[in-house]
Protein backbone atom coordinates (compact mmCIF):
# COMPACT_ATOMS: atom_id res chain seq x y z
CA UNK A 1 0.00 0.00 0.00
CA UNK A 2 1.47 3.26 -1.00
CA UNK A 3 2.08 5.89 1.60
CA UNK A 4 2.39 9.57 1.16
CA UNK A 5 5.54 11.34 2.21
CA UNK A 6 3.79 12.60 5.30
CA UNK A 7 2.81 9.10 6.26
CA UNK A 8 6.39 7.88 5.81
CA UNK A 9 7.60 10.52 8.18
CA UNK A 10 5.11 9.40 10.77
CA UNK A 11 6.44 5.89 10.59
CA UNK A 12 10.12 6.99 11.49
CA UNK A 13 11.22 6.35 15.02
CA UNK A 14 10.38 9.15 17.38
CA UNK A 15 13.99 9.72 18.60
CA UNK A 16 15.09 10.62 15.08
CA UNK A 17 12.38 13.23 14.56
CA UNK A 18 13.84 16.64 13.78
CA UNK A 19 10.63 18.27 12.62
CA UNK A 20 6.96 17.97 13.22
CA UNK A 21 5.03 15.92 10.62
CA UNK A 22 3.19 18.84 9.18
CA UNK A 23 3.22 19.19 5.49
CA UNK A 24 3.40 22.73 4.33
CA UNK A 25 4.03 23.23 0.64
CA UNK A 26 6.95 25.27 -0.71
CA UNK A 27 9.34 27.48 1.23
CA UNK A 28 6.73 28.12 3.85
CA UNK A 29 6.65 24.47 4.69
CA UNK A 30 10.37 24.29 5.15
CA UNK A 31 10.39 27.32 7.47
CA UNK A 32 7.60 25.82 9.48
CA UNK A 33 9.50 22.55 9.97
CA UNK A 34 12.63 24.47 11.04
CA UNK A 35 10.75 26.55 13.58
CA UNK A 36 9.14 23.53 15.16
CA UNK A 37 12.55 21.76 15.34
CA UNK A 38 14.10 24.74 17.18
CA UNK A 39 11.28 24.81 19.69
CA UNK A 40 11.57 21.10 20.43
CA UNK A 41 15.35 20.55 20.49
CA UNK A 42 17.15 23.93 20.37
CA UNK A 43 19.77 24.88 17.76
CA UNK A 44 21.59 21.94 16.31
CA UNK A 45 25.42 22.04 17.00
CA UNK A 46 27.56 23.10 14.09
CA UNK A 47 29.40 20.32 12.36
CA UNK A 48 33.20 20.11 13.16
CA UNK A 49 35.57 19.55 10.28
CA UNK A 50 37.18 16.11 10.50
CA UNK A 51 40.70 15.30 9.34
CA UNK A 52 41.25 12.35 7.23
CA UNK A 53 43.60 10.81 9.83
CA UNK A 54 43.34 11.59 13.57
CA UNK A 55 46.58 12.55 15.38
CA UNK A 56 48.65 9.81 16.93
CA UNK A 57 48.13 9.32 20.60
CA UNK A 58 50.62 8.09 23.07
CA UNK A 59 50.03 5.42 25.64
CA UNK A 60 48.44 7.97 27.93
CA UNK A 61 46.14 9.19 25.21
CA UNK A 62 47.82 12.58 24.94
CA UNK A 63 48.37 13.53 21.30
CA UNK A 64 52.08 13.74 20.35
CA UNK A 65 53.06 17.27 19.37
CA UNK A 66 54.84 16.10 16.25
CA UNK A 67 52.23 13.59 15.44
CA UNK A 68 54.91 10.89 15.24
CA UNK A 69 56.81 10.76 18.66
CA UNK A 70 55.88 9.48 22.08
CA UNK A 71 54.70 11.52 25.04
CA UNK A 72 57.93 10.63 27.03
CA UNK A 73 60.05 12.32 24.36
CA UNK A 74 57.90 15.40 24.61
CA UNK A 75 58.24 15.40 28.39
CA UNK A 76 62.03 15.18 28.12
CA UNK A 77 62.12 18.07 25.70
CA UNK A 78 60.01 20.18 27.98
CA UNK A 79 62.28 19.42 31.03
CA UNK A 80 65.56 20.57 29.40
CA UNK A 81 66.89 24.03 30.21
CA UNK A 82 69.59 26.28 28.82
CA UNK A 83 72.55 28.28 30.16
CA UNK A 84 73.79 31.53 28.69
CA UNK A 85 75.89 34.51 29.69
CA UNK A 86 78.42 37.16 28.67
CA UNK A 87 82.18 37.30 29.22
CA UNK A 88 83.87 40.68 29.84
CA UNK A 89 87.16 41.90 31.27
CA UNK A 90 87.72 44.27 34.17
CA UNK A 91 87.23 47.27 31.92
CA UNK A 92 83.81 45.91 30.86
CA UNK A 93 85.11 45.17 27.36
CA UNK A 94 83.80 42.00 25.76
CA UNK A 95 86.06 38.95 25.65
CA UNK A 96 85.58 37.00 22.44
CA UNK A 97 86.97 33.51 22.00
CA UNK A 98 86.95 32.62 25.68
CA UNK A 99 86.53 28.90 26.30
CA UNK A 100 83.60 27.92 28.50
CA UNK A 101 83.41 24.32 29.67
CA UNK A 102 80.19 22.95 31.15
CA UNK A 103 80.55 20.01 33.54
CA UNK A 104 77.84 18.32 35.51
CA UNK A 105 77.70 17.07 39.06
CA UNK A 106 77.12 13.53 37.81
CA UNK A 107 80.51 13.63 36.02
CA UNK A 108 78.88 13.18 32.63
CA UNK A 109 80.69 14.27 29.48
CA UNK A 110 81.50 17.97 29.46
CA UNK A 111 80.49 20.46 26.79
CA UNK A 112 82.60 23.32 25.50
CA UNK A 113 81.76 26.48 23.60
CA UNK A 114 83.59 29.71 22.75
CA UNK A 115 82.25 33.15 23.45
CA UNK A 116 81.17 34.90 20.26
CA UNK A 117 82.09 38.33 18.94
CA UNK A 118 79.73 39.87 21.51
CA UNK A 119 81.31 37.89 24.33
CA UNK A 120 78.18 35.74 24.68
CA UNK A 121 77.87 31.98 25.05
CA UNK A 122 74.94 29.56 25.07
CA UNK A 123 74.38 25.95 26.08
CA UNK A 124 71.12 24.34 24.89
CA UNK A 125 69.37 21.15 26.04
CA UNK A 126 70.86 21.24 29.53
CA UNK A 127 69.38 18.62 31.86
CA UNK A 128 68.20 20.04 35.17
CA UNK A 129 70.59 19.89 38.12
CA UNK A 130 73.85 21.35 39.42
CA UNK A 131 76.50 22.46 36.98
CA UNK A 132 79.93 24.09 36.86
CA UNK A 133 81.27 26.48 34.25
CA UNK A 134 85.04 26.90 33.83
CA UNK A 135 85.97 30.00 31.85
CA UNK A 136 89.49 30.31 30.45
CA UNK A 137 91.08 32.83 28.14
CA UNK A 138 94.68 33.62 27.33
CA UNK A 139 96.04 36.36 29.54
CA UNK A 140 93.22 36.07 32.09
CA UNK A 141 92.82 34.15 35.32
CA UNK A 142 90.52 31.15 35.17
CA UNK A 143 87.00 31.72 36.49
CA UNK A 144 84.74 29.01 37.91
CA UNK A 145 80.99 29.50 38.19
CA UNK A 146 78.61 27.02 39.82
CA UNK A 147 74.85 26.97 39.76
CA UNK A 148 71.72 24.89 39.39
CA UNK A 149 69.45 24.92 36.37
CA UNK A 150 65.80 24.02 36.89
CA UNK A 151 63.37 22.10 34.70
CA UNK A 152 62.88 24.01 31.49
CA UNK A 153 64.72 27.02 32.94
CA UNK A 154 66.64 29.47 30.79
CA UNK A 155 69.51 30.09 33.26
CA UNK A 156 71.25 33.43 32.75
CA UNK A 157 74.71 33.51 34.29
CA UNK A 158 75.55 36.87 35.89
CA UNK A 159 78.06 38.87 33.87
CA UNK A 160 81.37 37.01 34.05
CA UNK A 161 84.27 39.41 34.60
CA UNK A 162 87.73 37.97 33.94
CA UNK A 163 90.70 39.35 35.83
CA UNK A 164 94.10 39.73 34.23
CA UNK A 165 96.31 36.80 35.20
CA UNK A 166 99.03 37.58 37.72
CA UNK A 167 102.43 37.16 36.16
CA UNK A 168 104.47 34.89 38.42
CA UNK A 169 108.15 35.39 37.75
CA UNK A 170 110.75 33.40 39.58
CA UNK A 171 114.01 35.27 39.93
CA UNK A 172 117.03 33.50 41.27
CA UNK A 173 119.42 35.99 42.78
CA UNK A 174 122.90 34.56 43.00
CA UNK A 175 126.35 35.87 43.72
CA UNK A 176 129.28 35.60 41.39
CA UNK A 177 132.27 33.58 42.54
CA UNK A 178 134.14 36.77 43.37
CA UNK A 179 131.20 38.18 45.34
CA UNK A 180 130.72 34.94 47.26
CA UNK A 181 134.41 34.78 48.08
CA UNK A 182 134.17 38.35 49.36
CA UNK A 183 131.29 37.37 51.64
CA UNK A 184 133.27 34.43 52.98
CA UNK A 185 136.35 36.58 53.60
CA UNK A 186 134.25 39.06 55.55
CA UNK A 187 133.08 36.17 57.71
CA UNK A 188 136.67 35.01 58.21
CA UNK A 189 137.75 38.49 59.25
CA UNK A 190 135.27 38.32 62.12
CA UNK A 191 136.85 35.14 63.49
CA UNK A 192 138.83 35.89 66.64
CA UNK A 193 140.08 33.60 69.38
CA UNK A 194 138.62 34.79 72.69
CA UNK A 195 137.23 37.64 70.58
CA UNK A 196 140.74 39.19 70.38
CA UNK A 197 143.29 37.10 68.48
CA UNK A 198 142.69 37.22 64.69
CA UNK A 199 142.00 33.84 63.07
CA UNK A 200 141.65 35.07 59.49
CA UNK A 201 143.50 32.33 57.61
CA UNK A 202 141.25 29.45 58.66
CA UNK A 203 138.22 28.48 56.63
CA UNK A 204 135.55 26.51 58.46
CA UNK A 205 133.66 26.18 55.17
CA UNK A 206 135.08 23.08 53.43
CA UNK A 207 133.92 24.13 49.96
CA UNK A 208 134.87 27.79 50.27
CA UNK A 209 135.30 29.64 46.97
CA UNK A 210 138.87 30.27 45.80
CA UNK A 211 140.21 33.76 46.39
CA UNK A 212 141.23 36.15 43.65
CA UNK A 213 144.72 37.68 43.70
CA UNK A 214 143.27 40.93 44.92
CA UNK A 215 141.49 39.19 47.78
CA UNK A 216 144.68 37.35 48.76
CA UNK A 217 146.56 40.63 49.03
CA UNK A 218 143.69 42.28 50.93
CA UNK A 219 143.62 39.44 53.43
CA UNK A 220 147.40 39.65 53.89
CA UNK A 221 147.16 43.39 54.49
CA UNK A 222 144.28 42.97 56.91
CA UNK A 223 146.28 40.48 58.93
CA UNK A 224 149.47 42.56 58.89
CA UNK A 225 147.89 45.74 60.21
CA UNK A 226 145.56 44.16 62.74
CA UNK A 227 146.05 45.76 66.19
CA UNK A 228 146.76 42.41 67.79
CA UNK A 229 149.61 41.84 65.30
CA UNK A 230 151.39 44.93 66.63
CA UNK A 231 150.86 43.75 70.20
CA UNK A 232 152.12 40.24 69.44
CA UNK A 233 155.20 41.59 67.62
CA UNK A 234 155.89 43.83 70.61
CA UNK A 235 155.77 40.81 72.93
CA UNK A 236 158.14 38.77 70.72
CA UNK A 237 160.57 41.70 70.49
CA UNK A 238 160.38 42.12 74.26
CA UNK A 239 161.35 38.50 74.91
CA UNK A 240 164.17 38.77 72.37
CA UNK A 241 165.37 42.00 73.98
CA UNK A 242 165.23 40.49 77.45
CA UNK A 243 167.21 37.44 76.32
CA UNK A 244 169.62 39.61 74.35
CA UNK A 245 168.94 37.73 71.16
CA UNK A 246 170.51 39.35 68.12
CA UNK A 247 172.93 41.10 70.42
CA UNK A 248 174.09 43.19 67.52
CA UNK A 249 170.99 45.33 67.97
CA UNK A 250 172.23 46.35 71.39
CA UNK A 251 170.13 47.23 74.43
CA UNK A 252 167.96 50.10 75.51
CA UNK A 253 165.11 51.63 73.59
CA UNK A 254 167.09 51.63 70.36
CA UNK A 255 167.88 47.94 70.67
CA UNK A 256 164.24 47.13 71.43
CA UNK A 257 163.07 49.20 68.45
CA UNK A 258 165.41 47.35 66.13
CA UNK A 259 164.20 44.01 67.42
CA UNK A 260 160.62 45.20 67.07
CA UNK A 261 161.26 46.27 63.46
CA UNK A 262 162.98 42.99 62.62
CA UNK A 263 160.14 40.95 64.13
CA UNK A 264 157.47 42.96 62.35
CA UNK A 265 159.44 42.66 59.10
CA UNK A 266 159.47 38.88 59.50
CA UNK A 267 155.67 38.87 59.92
CA UNK A 268 154.87 41.20 57.01
CA UNK A 269 157.35 39.70 54.54
CA UNK A 270 156.38 36.13 55.42
CA UNK A 271 152.67 36.92 55.21
CA UNK A 272 152.83 38.65 51.83
CA UNK A 273 155.26 36.18 50.25
CA UNK A 274 153.64 32.96 51.52
CA UNK A 275 150.00 34.10 51.57
CA UNK A 276 149.63 36.62 48.74
CA UNK A 277 152.43 36.94 46.17
CA UNK A 278 153.33 33.28 45.57
CA UNK A 279 149.74 31.97 46.00
CA UNK A 280 148.64 34.46 43.34
CA UNK A 281 151.41 33.38 40.96
CA UNK A 282 150.98 29.65 41.60
CA UNK A 283 147.17 29.81 41.96
CA UNK A 284 147.04 28.25 45.40
CA UNK A 285 144.84 28.96 48.40
CA UNK A 286 146.74 30.25 51.45
CA UNK A 287 144.09 29.25 53.99
CA UNK A 288 143.92 26.26 56.31
CA UNK A 289 140.70 24.30 55.68
CA UNK A 290 139.40 22.93 58.95
CA UNK A 291 138.72 19.17 58.71
CA UNK A 292 136.75 18.51 61.88
CA UNK A 293 135.76 14.93 60.96
CA UNK A 294 137.39 11.52 60.94
CA UNK A 295 139.61 9.79 63.46
CA UNK A 296 141.97 11.70 65.73
CA UNK A 297 144.97 10.21 63.95
CA UNK A 298 143.70 11.28 60.52
CA UNK A 299 143.04 14.79 61.74
CA UNK A 300 146.51 15.10 63.31
CA UNK A 301 148.19 13.92 60.12
CA UNK A 302 146.04 16.27 58.08
CA UNK A 303 147.05 19.24 60.26
CA UNK A 304 150.76 18.38 60.29
CA UNK A 305 150.79 18.11 56.51
CA UNK A 306 149.14 21.50 55.98
CA UNK A 307 152.42 23.48 55.60
CA UNK A 308 153.39 21.30 52.63
CA UNK A 309 149.92 20.36 51.27
CA UNK A 310 147.34 22.94 50.23
CA UNK A 311 144.24 23.34 48.10
CA UNK A 312 144.68 24.90 44.69
CA UNK A 313 142.41 27.53 43.24
CA UNK A 314 140.98 24.69 41.14
CA UNK A 315 139.83 22.95 44.34
CA UNK A 316 142.37 20.11 44.12
CA UNK A 317 144.93 19.25 46.78
CA UNK A 318 148.56 19.82 45.77
CA UNK A 319 152.03 20.51 47.13
CA UNK A 320 152.11 23.79 49.01
CA UNK A 321 154.89 25.42 47.00
CA UNK A 322 153.68 28.87 48.00
CA UNK A 323 154.20 28.48 51.72
CA UNK A 324 157.42 26.45 51.52
CA UNK A 325 159.10 28.81 49.06
CA UNK A 326 157.67 31.82 50.89
CA UNK A 327 159.19 30.66 54.19
CA UNK A 328 162.66 30.26 52.68
CA UNK A 329 162.36 33.55 50.79
CA UNK A 330 161.32 35.40 53.95
CA UNK A 331 164.23 33.88 55.87
CA UNK A 332 166.64 34.88 53.12
CA UNK A 333 165.39 38.47 53.15
CA UNK A 334 165.64 38.57 56.97
CA UNK A 335 169.27 37.68 56.65
CA UNK A 336 169.74 41.11 55.08
CA UNK A 337 168.55 43.13 58.07
CA UNK A 338 169.66 40.95 60.99
CA UNK A 339 172.87 42.05 62.73
CA UNK A 340 175.95 40.99 60.83
CA UNK A 341 177.24 39.24 63.92
CA UNK A 342 174.19 36.93 63.86
CA UNK A 343 174.24 36.13 60.19
CA UNK A 344 175.56 32.73 59.38
CA UNK A 345 174.41 32.49 55.80
CA UNK A 346 172.56 29.35 54.81
CA UNK A 347 172.30 28.18 58.40
CA UNK A 348 170.20 31.18 59.40
CA UNK A 349 167.98 30.91 56.34
CA UNK A 350 167.44 27.17 56.72
CA UNK A 351 166.84 27.41 60.47
CA UNK A 352 164.38 30.29 60.15
CA UNK A 353 162.46 28.60 57.31
CA UNK A 354 162.19 25.26 59.08
CA UNK A 355 161.16 27.00 62.28
CA UNK A 356 158.39 28.82 60.41
CA UNK A 357 157.14 25.57 58.81
CA UNK A 358 157.19 23.77 62.18
CA UNK A 359 155.34 26.55 63.92
CA UNK A 360 152.68 26.44 61.20
CA UNK A 361 152.24 22.65 61.61
CA UNK A 362 151.82 22.91 65.39
CA UNK A 363 149.38 25.80 64.98
CA UNK A 364 147.32 23.67 62.55
CA UNK A 365 147.00 20.88 65.14
CA UNK A 366 145.73 23.42 67.65
CA UNK A 367 143.34 24.73 64.98
CA UNK A 368 141.94 21.26 64.39
CA UNK A 369 141.27 20.38 68.04
CA UNK A 370 141.22 23.49 70.21
CA UNK A 371 141.08 26.84 68.48
CA UNK A 372 137.68 26.38 66.84
CA UNK A 373 136.05 25.97 70.24
CA UNK A 374 137.59 29.25 71.37
CA UNK A 375 136.84 31.22 68.20
CA UNK A 376 133.86 33.52 68.02
CA UNK A 377 131.76 34.26 64.93
CA UNK A 378 132.51 30.92 63.26
CA UNK A 379 130.14 30.59 60.25
CA UNK A 380 128.11 27.39 59.71
CA UNK A 381 130.17 24.76 57.90
CA UNK A 382 127.31 24.18 55.44
CA UNK A 383 127.57 27.66 53.97
CA UNK A 384 127.13 27.40 50.19
CA UNK A 385 126.11 29.53 47.24
CA UNK A 386 123.06 31.67 48.29
Amino acid sequence: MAHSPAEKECEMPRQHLKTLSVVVPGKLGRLARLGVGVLLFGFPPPALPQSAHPPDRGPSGVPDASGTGSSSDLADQLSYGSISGTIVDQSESIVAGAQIRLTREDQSASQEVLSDADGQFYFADVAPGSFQLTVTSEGFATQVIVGTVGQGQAYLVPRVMLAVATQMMQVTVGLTQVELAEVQIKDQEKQRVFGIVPNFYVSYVPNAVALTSKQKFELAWKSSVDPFTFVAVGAVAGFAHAGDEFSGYGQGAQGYAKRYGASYGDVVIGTFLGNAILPSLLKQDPRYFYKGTGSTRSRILYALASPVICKGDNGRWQANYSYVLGSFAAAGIANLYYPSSDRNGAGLVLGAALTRLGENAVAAVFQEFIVRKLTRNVPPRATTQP
Side-chain angles (χ1 to χ4, degrees), residues 138-212:
E138 186 177 356
F140 294 96
T142 300
Q143 281 267 30
V144 177
I145 301 100
V146 294
T148 304
V149 62
Q151 232 178 25
Q153 179 185 5
Y155 189 99
L156 179 61
V157 178
R159 204 172 183 84
V160 180
M161 183 175 293
L162 298 181
V164 176
T166 303
Q167 296 294 327
M168 299 298 293
M169 182 179 295
Q170 182 176 358
V171 179
T172 301
V173 180
L175 300 177
T176 64
Q177 294 291 91
V178 175
E179 292 171 335
L180 182 55
E182 193 67 31
V183 171
Q184 293 174 342
I185 289 176
K186 295 302 181 185
D187 287 340
Q188 288 175 205
E189 291 175 352
K190 297 176 183 177
Q191 298 171 176
R192 290 183 180 272
V193 180
F194 300 117
I196 301 173
V197 182
N199 195 21
F200 301 159
Y201 276 99
V202 178
S203 174
Y204 293 103
V205 180
N207 57 343
V209 179
L211 306 179
T212 65

Side-chain angles (χ1 to χ4, degrees), residues 9 16-22 30 32-37 40-41:
E9 288 184 15
H16 295 290
L17 290 177
K18 299 296 180 182
T19 61
L20 186 62
S21 297
V22 179
R30 287 195 295 272
R33 286 198 298 272
L34 179 60
V36 175
L40 293 176
F41 304 102

Side-chain angles (χ1 to χ4, degrees), residues 147-355:
T148 304
V149 62
Q151 232 178 25
Q153 179 185 5
Y155 189 99
L156 179 61
V157 178
R159 204 172 183 84
V160 180
M161 183 175 293
L162 298 181
V164 176
T166 303
Q167 296 294 327
M168 299 298 293
M169 182 179 295
Q170 182 176 358
V171 179
T172 301
V173 180
L175 300 177
T176 64
Q177 294 291 91
V178 175
E179 292 171 335
L180 182 55
E182 193 67 31
V183 171
Q184 293 174 342
I185 289 176
K186 295 302 181 185
D187 287 340
Q188 288 175 205
E189 291 175 352
K190 297 176 183 177
Q191 298 171 176
R192 290 183 180 272
V193 180
F194 300 117
I196 301 173
V197 182
N199 195 21
F200 301 159
Y201 276 99
V202 178
S203 174
Y204 293 103
V205 180
N207 57 343
V209 179
L211 306 179
T212 65
S213 295
K214 179 183 177 182
Q215 291 168 337
K216 292 172 184 177
F217 276 90
E218 288 176 345
L219 191 59
W221 172 256
K222 182 77 174 179
S223 176
S224 299
V225 299
D226 187 82
F228 186 84
T229 300
F230 294 107
V231 174
V233 167
V236 170
F239 284 113
H241 186 73
D244 199 25
E245 294 181 14
F246 307 112
S247 57
Y249 287 142
Q251 290 295 312
Q254 186 179 13
Y256 176 80
K258 290 179 179 180
R259 289 182 177 86
Y260 187 96
S263 298
Y264 187 71
D266 291 345
V267 171
V268 173
I269 294 171
T271 299
F272 273 89
L273 280 175
N275 295 337
I277 298 173
L278 291 175
S280 296
L281 294 174
L282 301 177
K283 299 186 182 303
Q284 294 184 321
D285 201 310
R287 295 172 292 183
Y288 174 78
F289 287 86
Y290 175 76
K291 190 173 189 294
T293 59
S295 64
T296 301
R297 181 173 178 274
S298 66
R299 293 174 67 185
I300 291 175
L301 293 176
Y302 171 83
L304 292 175
S306 62
V308 294
I309 301 294
C310 71
K311 185 180 288 189
D313 289 346
N314 58 4
R316 298 177 181 176
W317 292 100
Q318 53 193 255
N320 196 350
Y321 300 112
S322 298
Y323 195 78
V324 173
L325 293 177
S327 297
F328 279 94
I333 295 173
N335 197 44
L336 299 177
Y337 54 79
Y338 279 167
S340 56
S341 59
D342 295 303
R343 300 174 191 170
N344 54 3
L348 177 63
V349 173
L350 181 62
L354 292 178
T355 299

